[in-house]
Amino acid sequence: MQTVALTGSGCGTRLRLSGLRPCLPSTARRTVRAAAQVGPLSRRLTCSASVDFRAGHLGQAFAPMDSMSLQQAPKKRVSRPHAQAAEGDVEGVVAAKEASAGYGGSLFLSVGIACLGAILFGYHLGVVNGALEYIAKDLGIVGNAALQGWVVSITLAGATVGSFTGGTLADKFGRTRTFQLDSVPLIVGALLSATATGIQAMLAGRFLVGLGIGISSAVVPLYIAEIAPTNIRGSLGSVNQLSICIGILLALIAGLPLAGNPIWWRKMFTIAVAPAALLLLGMGFSPESPRWLHQQGRKAEAEVAIRKLWGKGKVEQAMAELNDNSSSSSEENAGWGELFSKRYRKIVAVGAALFLFQQFAGINAVVYYSTAVFRSAGIKSDVAASALVGAANVLGTTVASSLMDKQGRKKLLSLSFLGMAASMIVLSLSLSWPALAAYSGTLAVAGTVSYVLAFSLGAGPVPGLVLPEIFSSRIRAKAVALSMGVHWITNFAIGLYFLTFVNKFGISSVYLGFSAVCLLAVLYVSNNLVETKGRSLEEIERELSASA
């Protein structure tokens, strides 16, 4: 189904018609399934197929109606004489003033501040990789592989706890206050890690930063999805994944002085205090999610937040959207047990499955093994190998952010998994097929880079973007948190058992297994994921609720 969108009576995501008669022009009547009453003189058209009638029937004269062409709708009010309107089966004057395309001054700044949490997500995951050798020497754990492993993995354990905590905090205290609470373990953990003189302090610090990035991983995509305008929600949502990639690259850059200064690793952790402090301060000035405020019954505050985020011209239409959806959003926030009820378990399973496919498709294993692959191709520098992978990730995610609102989430995700499957097959053959032995190094590097590029075009950014879109308002925070918890648990399991599987089955066979997972993911996405491009969160919620 499709709802006519982006013009009419100041409504930016639906078409409103004043004084609409029950009988529409014949060319329109074939596609209209319902004309839902919005107000005393307004109806909303929901269509069972693409809207193929022309706006001329509705008092305007521009291209055939679809959600793309309406973005070029005239911004002035167009009217017809009353008698002429009767000929087109539309009575009276049809308002055609499009809401202003501008946004409030706080929108992009608020997204940028929220993404400090995503940058720290990437930074704290990457910072220890180059510094671990120097940390081990300073703390006296050289040769103790178990303790070194805990320095790395305890952050993932903390992130798992944090991801579940983040959903509860976001429901109880709101999105911006949760960010401020999140900054506390991020600051304390970074300082504790930077000043650690023993392994216990280091593990405590790493657990705290893990707790912080776990909360960020759940709340950043949630907040961005709820404050972003419909037509650019995909692009803004992709900035979350881009920020994670930037954080990983920043960790790599921060580690460059280590070779000449063995205790520089302490400065690397200290650096992370600055963005966490900016997150704490910045969220004090950032608008709260209007959807959360409305759900709490704080409608006046929701209007103020909408004005700051989307501009004065969007207040009326946005409040109408929220009020139309108030039957479900006014319910109390769901408890954890309700996520598995008959009402929600199917859609919650989609969220968990997307992250299962993302992780079992092999991204962390490929990044983990990339250094060895590049060395086989003659690239001896770990830094060069990591930089190449990181650059490919940033490049692909940047491209994805520009395509998300044009091509759609579902299409990009399917193409991404197909590209990853093909790259895995290339990697597997390059490492096992004797006929390709002479080109194995080159093919291995090409396969790794193309895999990372394909991942960053869809499988990387789309799950975190689409989950807040498909979950209804009363379960959104906890369902996103649950999905991110699946992400962290799976991430931990792959890191723990990847080398065991490689030693038992061989890297070529493991890569073929990853390829098979990617192909299964394509089938799953095509059958279970709805397209959310160009649709408001309230519209998506109504459709999924009706089909539940």
Side-chain angles (χ1 to χ4, degrees), residues 97-271:
K97 182 177 72 174
E98 185 182 38
S100 170
Y103 305 114
S106 297
L107 175 62
F108 298 107
L109 181 60
S110 298
V111 170
I113 293 170
C115 283
L116 290 171
I119 289 173
L120 287 168
F121 178 157
Y123 187 86
H124 281 299
L125 286 182
V127 71
V128 76
N129 291 338
L132 186 58
E133 174 186 350
Y134 302 92
I135 293 172
K137 290 178 181 178
D138 233 16
L139 300 184
I141 57 172
V142 174
N144 192 329
L147 283 179
Q148 291 182 41
W150 272 109
V151 171
V152 176
S153 60
I154 198 169
T155 301
L156 301 179
T160 303
V161 175
S163 65
F164 289 108
T165 305
T168 301
L169 292 175
D171 275 342
K172 185 174 180 61
F173 299 110
R175 291 27 170 168
T176 54
R177 183 60 59 85
T178 299
F179 276 117
Q180 292 182 304
L181 293 172
D182 180 36
S183 66
V184 175
L186 287 170
I187 292 172
V188 174
L191 289 175
L192 197 56
S193 300
T195 58
T197 56
I199 187 62
Q200 292 85 0
M202 173 57 70
L203 292 178
R206 292 289 290 165
F207 180 84
L208 284 174
V209 297
L211 186 69
I213 66 175
I215 295 173
S216 294
S217 70
V219 182
V220 173
L222 173 68
Y223 180 67
I224 293 176
E226 291 188 338
I227 69 169
T230 299
N231 62 318
I232 59 170
R233 193 174 62 238
S235 297
L236 291 183
S238 300
V239 176
N240 174 42
Q241 180 68 20
L242 180 61
S243 299
I244 295 172
C245 300
I246 291 172
I248 294 172
L249 277 179
L250 289 176
L252 174 67
I253 295 170
L256 291 177
L258 275 170
N261 185 1
I263 62 169
W264 177 257
W265 66 268
R266 296 185 181 276
K267 296 290 185 184
M268 294 169 67
F269 286 107
T270 305
I271 288 169

Side-chain angles (χ1 to χ4, degrees), residues 270-295:
T270 305
I271 288 169
V273 173
L278 286 174
L279 181 66
L280 173 64
L281 295 173
M283 277 297 156
F285 300 95
S286 298
E288 181 54 84
S289 160
R291 291 178 167 92
W292 182 81
L293 289 169
H294 189 277
Q295 188 179 9

